[in-house]
């Protein structure tokens, strides 16, 4: 079974609007972390935001917030006030803290911000 | 600034000619990872080191080898590159299991490999 599922291959959003990128995960480890990375066309993977499985509140980092719904095993990324520079691939990833050191990645969502 | 550095950023090699990609880190992290990423795909983990312990993914071809001579450096050796090995190669680090707290993975800028 897929550890991380991203069902949106491509998304479009109008500049200054908010957008939600979906991510669901599958694990039996009670201790895990969820991550979002941005990959612009240059290729570098940029860490955006982290959510721990025991965190009571949704993580926020500037214009990024993570809508964490533990019972549904979802960790959607919300980008507010989209900017042209937000156009990139976005990857959701998970780390299971009681097993190995691997990070599991989803297939990514390509976001295009329209002026 | 602490960071993950990859050299070179672009590498061109010939079919069958061995090539080595390098990665260094100033984060003093225990774990170093090598990923292969092809266009519009997720990164694919090739292997990782936890300190000196080498962990190979089951489906990583024997053509790919790695060395970690010390905490700071890790190398990816492709012994006989084929056309299918053309890809972006990403190096990443993390503190590792058991180190407590958030274990975020930090990436270098990548090396884009072309095989002629």
């Amino acid at each position: 079974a897929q550890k991380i599922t991203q069902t949106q291959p491509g998304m479009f959003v109008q500049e200054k609007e908010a957008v939600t990128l979906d991510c669901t995960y599958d694990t039996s480890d009670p201790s895990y972390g969820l991550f979002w990375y941005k990959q612009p066309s240059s290729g570098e993977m940029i860490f955006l935001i982290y959510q721990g499985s025991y965190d009571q509140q949704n993580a926020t980092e500037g214009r990024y917030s993570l809508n964490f719904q533990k019972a549904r095993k979802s960790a959607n990324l919300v980008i507010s006030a989209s900017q042209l520079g937000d156009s990139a691939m976005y990857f959701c990833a998970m780390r299971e803290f009681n097993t190995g050191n691997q990070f599991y990645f989803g297939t990514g969502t390509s976001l295009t911000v329209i002026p | 600034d602490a960071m993950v550095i990859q050299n070179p950023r672009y590498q061109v090699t010939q079919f069958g000619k061995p090539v080595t990609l390098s990665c260094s880190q100033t984060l003093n992290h225990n774990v170093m990872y090598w990923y292969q990423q092809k266009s519009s795909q997720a990164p694919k983990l090739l292997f990782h080191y936890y300190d000196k312990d080498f962990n190979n993914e089951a489906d990583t071809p024997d053509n790919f080898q790695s060395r970690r001579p010390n905490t700071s450096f890790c190398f990816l050796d492709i012994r006989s590159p084929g056309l299918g090995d053309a890809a972006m190669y990403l190096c990443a680090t993390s503190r590792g299991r058991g180190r407590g707290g958030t274990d975020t993975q930090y990436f270098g800028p990548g090396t884009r490999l072309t095989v002629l």
Side-chain angles (χ1 to χ4, degrees):
Chain A
Q2 292 286 343
K3 292 277 188 181
I4 295 286
T5 302
Q6 293 180 255
T7 57
Q8 305 155 315
M11 291 281 286
F12 292 87
V13 64
Q14 204 75 37
E15 192 177 8
K16 300 180 185 177
E17 297 291 313
V19 63
T20 297
L21 307 185
D22 295 342
C23 173
T24 58
Y25 60 92
D26 183 30
T27 182
S28 57
D29 191 335
S31 181
Y32 55 89
L34 297 157
F35 306 81
W36 278 92
Y37 289 87
K38 172 184 177 181
Q39 188 176 42
S41 57
S42 60
E44 185 170 1
M45 294 280 276
I46 302 166
F47 166 68
L48 294 178
I49 195 168
Y50 164 82
Q51 180 84 45
S53 58
Y54 295 118
D55 293 343
Q56 295 295 314
Q57 294 189 326
N58 287 344
T60 60
E61 289 286 349
R63 294 186 299 111
Y64 304 108
S65 61
L66 202 152
N67 184 2
F68 181 46
Q69 298 190 40
K70 195 170 183 177
R72 295 186 177 184
K73 294 190 174 180
S74 74
N76 298 338
L77 177 70
V78 181
I79 306 173
S80 62
S82 297
Q83 301 172 357
L84 296 179
D86 294 335
S87 294
M89 282 290 288
Y90 288 81
F91 290 96
C92 179
M94 178 176 67
R95 166 101 157 74
E96 295 169 318
F97 291 127
N98 289 322
T99 57
N101 291 296
Q102 293 93 328
F103 285 70
Y104 300 96
F105 283 83
T107 51
T109 294
S110 176
L111 178 66
T112 302
V113 180
I114 303 167
Chain B
D1 286 341
M3 59 177 61
V4 183
I5 302 161
Q6 289 188 249
N7 286 305
R9 295 291 306 275
Y10 299 90
Q11 176 74 57
V12 180
T13 190
Q14 290 183 325
F15 182 94
K17 184 174 181 181
V19 65
T20 295
L21 309 182
S22 72
C23 177
S24 64
Q25 54 129 343
T26 61
L27 296 160
N28 203 31
H29 281 175
N30 298 99
V31 191
M32 295 187 78
Y33 308 79
W34 278 105
Y35 290 89
Q36 179 193 65
Q37 187 181 27
K38 297 190 177 180
S39 182
S40 302
Q41 296 183 18
K44 177 182 181 300
L45 182 63
L46 295 173
F47 24 60
H48 71 277
Y49 277 93
Y50 186 104
D51 291 332
K52 293 186 177 182
D53 293 334
F54 177 70
N55 297 270
N56 197 30
E57 294 301 297
D59 57 354
T60 298
D62 292 340
N63 197 26
F64 291 87
Q65 303 285 320
S66 185
R67 296 170 283 135
R68 189 179 185 186
N70 54 52
T71 301
S72 302
F73 285 87
C74 195
F75 299 97
L76 170 62
D77 300 310
I78 309 176
R79 294 193 294 188
S80 181
L83 297 179
D85 297 328
M88 173 73 91
Y89 290 87
L90 295 164
C91 174
T93 73
S94 74
R95 283 187 294 157
R97 183 160 61 100
R99 301 295 168 173
T102 304
D103 190 23
T104 303
Q105 190 173 67
Y106 295 96
F107 284 82
T111 295
R112 199 173 294 274
L113 178 68
T114 301
V115 182
L116 301 177

